[in-house]
Amino acid sequence: SAAVSLMGRRALVSFDPSLVSPAKLAEAVQSLGFDATVIDDGESPLSAGPLSSSALSREALSWRRQFLGSLVFSVPVFVIAMALPVDTFGGGEALPGLPWRTLL
């Protein structure tokens, strides 16, 4: 039997060692396109495989980079769509005959 958490990137597998080895189970999971590492009984799950602290920190940095990138594009859209229509510039003109609302 197996309990899998895709969000947690973990699986707990119960098996009969007389029928299959842990290495064969990991190989079967890898053949399906997932990462799999056999963890010994005394070993911490966080110290092995794709769940190591360096892998988690790389993933966190990737998420941070994506967030900051989306922020760079979102803030100007917000300003143009929400703040400028509230007559921020007092109805003035950017150039003679060209109001700010028309320009932006």
Side-chain angles (χ1 to χ4, degrees):
S1 69
V4 179
S5 170
L6 293 177
M7 292 297 290
R9 303 173 109 187
R10 297 172 192 252
L12 179 62
V13 180
S14 300
F15 64 98
D16 184 0
S18 65
L19 298 176
V20 67
S21 70
K24 288 285 187 186
L25 286 173
E27 186 179 308
V29 170
Q30 289 171 348
S31 71
L32 295 172
F34 296 98
D35 290 333
T37 305
V38 177
I39 300 174
D40 295 329
D41 289 335
E43 190 176 357
S44 168
L46 293 178
S47 66
L51 291 177
S52 66
S53 61
S54 64
L56 292 175
S57 64
R58 280 194 309 270
E59 184 177 2
L61 286 174
S62 172
W63 280 102
R64 178 185 166 111
R65 198 172 21 254
Q66 290 177 17
F67 170 73
L68 293 176
S70 66
L71 198 61
V72 165
F73 292 104
S74 299
V75 169
V77 169
F78 175 78
V79 169
I80 290 170
M82 297 294 176
L84 291 180
V86 182
D87 202 15
T88 306
F89 300 104
E93 296 180 338
L95 297 171
L98 182 61
W100 280 106
R101 283 184 187 219
T102 304
L103 180 64
L104 300 174

